[in-house]
């Protein structure tokens, strides 16, 4: 305490003391780190980032009581820092103290009037504890006092979860009237109409309006094309309720999307997969070549190329991919899967999975593939450690991850439960693709391929 400020320039005090705390924590000296942060906070009591460092230190090395003590002091010193209020309320909630969490959020409202984040945190607290009417009332007040896009999205999502589909659509239309350029309104509206109300025409109209207002929304182009692929055709007279796709229209939508949004890897990837799903291998290969010329540093395209190339060409493709985008976690994970599934170089595969997870811990697909690898080629302890690290990372992104976690039936699953579901989905896709490829080259399931679909099912055999 007496030496920490010696020979430190006044302008460098904050950075130096924060670095000292980080260094002490990294060396396994939490007490020293705690003392450095306490000294820094005595000089900079209103610095939000320092309080967040102190909270992170207590979460990792302290107790629930010490963490709450730090956060209580933090919100007193920096009452306008919403994130600190939310952290404290979340800790209480996770400890099962719902009433205390509710009280903290009420204090946060007083300090941060009409804060969108605080409103949504209060809604989530009631929603997750099955207080649906409380959540509805809060969302209604939020739409009056803080009519943000996310507030309308959460309002519609709540109604959709409780199967009030027309009310959800009404709320989305109300949101569109306020901000017609928010693409997610149209995405959710189209999904509700096609999946829940089974009205293809209404879904198509949502996507049409959305693309008119948001031509740069890649997800909207892909959703519109998927709708046409699955339901865009004319049902035969013998079965008017049959679902018939219109591949030509889906292909045209993806081409138009690429014209309006050049060098867009997601649109190229969607087009490539559409051709594979419909058995046009030569078109898929041609599109891949054009896509990689236009987007030479697109990790998603290179990962797909590695996974779908003939076995004899996969190593060459992986070398090209690493040369183009050496730090893309999707490419690194694709190479790791090659080492594991084909070369049986498990130590090297583990090293590459570690690198992929370190590059982007927020990518849930990487954790799922890593877990599948450890369950087939590692130990139970190693698999459990992957699960623990995934839960700590709380991933929010990933192609398969988002597809699984955003299903309405999975909305309340924990990260650990979601990880298991994603591994199971990958195993299902892998098995379906393997059977298809044994009977017809490049024949894949209708719901669309991803890297794991081109691996032998043994890669996932013990993963579920």
């Amino acid at each position: 305490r007496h030496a920490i400020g010696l020979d430190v320039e006044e302008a460098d005090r904050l950075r130096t003391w924060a670095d000292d705390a980080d260094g002490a924590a990294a060396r396994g000296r939490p007490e020293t780190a705690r003392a450095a942060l306490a000294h820094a906070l005595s000089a900079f009591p209103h610095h939000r980032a320092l309080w967040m460092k102190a909270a992170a230190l207590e979460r990792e090395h302290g107790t629930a009581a010490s963490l709450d003590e730090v956060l209580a002091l933090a919100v007193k010193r920096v009452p306008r820092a919403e994130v600190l209020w939310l952290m404290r309320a979340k800790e209480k909630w996770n400890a099962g103290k719902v009433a205390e969490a509710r009280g903290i959020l009420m204090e946060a409202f007083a300090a941060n009037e009409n804060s969108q984040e605080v409103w949504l945190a209060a809604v989530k607290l009631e929603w997750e504890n099955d207080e649906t009417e409380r959540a509805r009332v809060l969302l209604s007040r939020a739409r009056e006092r803080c009519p943000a896009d996310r507030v309308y999205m959460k309002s519609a999502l709540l109604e959709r979860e409780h199967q009030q589909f027309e009310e959800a659509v009404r709320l989305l239309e109300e949101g569109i009237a306020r901000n017609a350029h928010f693409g997610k309104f149209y995405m959710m509206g189209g999904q509700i109409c096609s999946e829940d109300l089974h009205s293809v025409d209404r879904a198509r109209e949502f996507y049409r309006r959305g693309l008119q207002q948001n031509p740069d929304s890649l997800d909207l182009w892909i959703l519109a094309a998927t709708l046409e692929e699955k339901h865009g055709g004319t049902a035969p007279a013998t079965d008017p309720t049959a679902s018939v796709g219109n591949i030509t229209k889906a292909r045209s939508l993806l081409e138009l999307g690429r014209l309006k949004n050049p060098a867009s890897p997601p649109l190229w990837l969607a087009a490539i997969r559409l051709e594979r799903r419909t058995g046009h291998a030569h078109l898929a290969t041609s599109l891949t070549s054009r896509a990689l010329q236009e987007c030479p540093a697109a990790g998603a395209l290179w990962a797909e190329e590695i996974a779908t190339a003939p076995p004899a060409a996969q190593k060459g493709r992986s070398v090209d991919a690493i040369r183009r985008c050496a730090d893309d976690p999707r490419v690194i994970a694709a190479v790791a899967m090659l080492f594991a599934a084909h070369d049986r170089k498990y130590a090297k595969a583990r090293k590459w999975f570690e690198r992929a997870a370190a590059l982007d811990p927020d990518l849930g697909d990487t954790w799922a593939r890593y877990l599948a690898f450890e369950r087939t080629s590692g130990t139970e302890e190693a698999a459990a450690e992957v699960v623990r690290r995934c839960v700590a990372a709380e991933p929010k992104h990933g192609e398969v991850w988002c597809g699984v976690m955003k299903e309405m039936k999975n909305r309340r699953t924990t990260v650990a439960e979601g990880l298991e579901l994603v591994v199971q989905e990958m195993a299902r896709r892998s098995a379906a693709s393997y059977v298809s490829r044994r009977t017809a080259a490049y024949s894949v399931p209708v719901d669309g391929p991803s890297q794991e679909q081109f691996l032998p099912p043994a890669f996932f055999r013990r993963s579920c």
Side-chain angles (χ1 to χ4, degrees), residues 83 127 130 173 188 199 286 323 330 339 375 403 431 436 443 457:
V83 65
W127 192 344
D130 295 318
E173 292 286 9
M188 183 181 282
S199 175
S286 174
R323 186 181 300 120
R330 292 160 296 189
F339 285 131
R375 286 182 173 171
S436 298
S443 178

Side-chain angles (χ1 to χ4, degrees), residues 193-212:
C193 291
S194 62
E195 298 171 13
D196 302 319
L197 296 173
H198 307 292
S199 175
V200 175
D201 290 339
R202 289 178 70 181
R204 185 181 288 119
E205 178 62 15
F206 257 109
Y207 294 146
R208 185 195 66 77
R209 291 163 58 200
L211 289 172
Q212 193 173 34

Side-chain angles (χ1 to χ4, degrees), residues 12 46 50 55 70 79 127 177 186 207 268 340 390 425 463:
D12 296 333
H46 305 295
L50 278 180
V70 166
W127 192 344
Y186 304 97
Y207 294 146
W268 280 109
C390 178
E425 174 62 13
S463 300

Side-chain angles (χ1 to χ4, degrees), residues 252-309:
S252 297
L253 277 168
L254 291 173
E255 289 176 357
L256 182 58
R258 295 199 303 276
L259 284 173
K260 291 181 178 291
N261 300 277
S264 299
L267 292 177
W268 280 109
L269 191 56
I272 292 164
R273 290 176 174 177
L274 173 65
E275 301 305 340
R276 285 209 179 94
R277 284 195 294 272
T278 53
H280 300 108
H282 61 292
L283 287 177
T285 302
S286 174
L287 282 171
T288 301
S289 298
R290 290 168 55 197
L292 289 173
Q293 287 177 357
E294 188 171 312
C295 313
L301 291 173
W302 279 111
E304 183 82 359
E305 175 68 355
I306 293 170
T308 59

Side-chain angles (χ1 to χ4, degrees), residues 15 29 34 37 77 88 98 107 125 131-132 151 191 194 238 272 319 327 374 390 418 447 458:
R15 178 184 57 79
R29 304 288 181 84
R34 192 175 284 119
L37 285 172
R77 293 285 188 270
R88 190 181 182 207
V98 177
E107 293 180 51
L125 178 67
E131 296 285 352
T132 306
V151 171
Q191 289 170 332
S194 62
T238 55
I272 292 164
V319 171
D327 293 326
E374 291 295 1
C390 178
D447 57 352

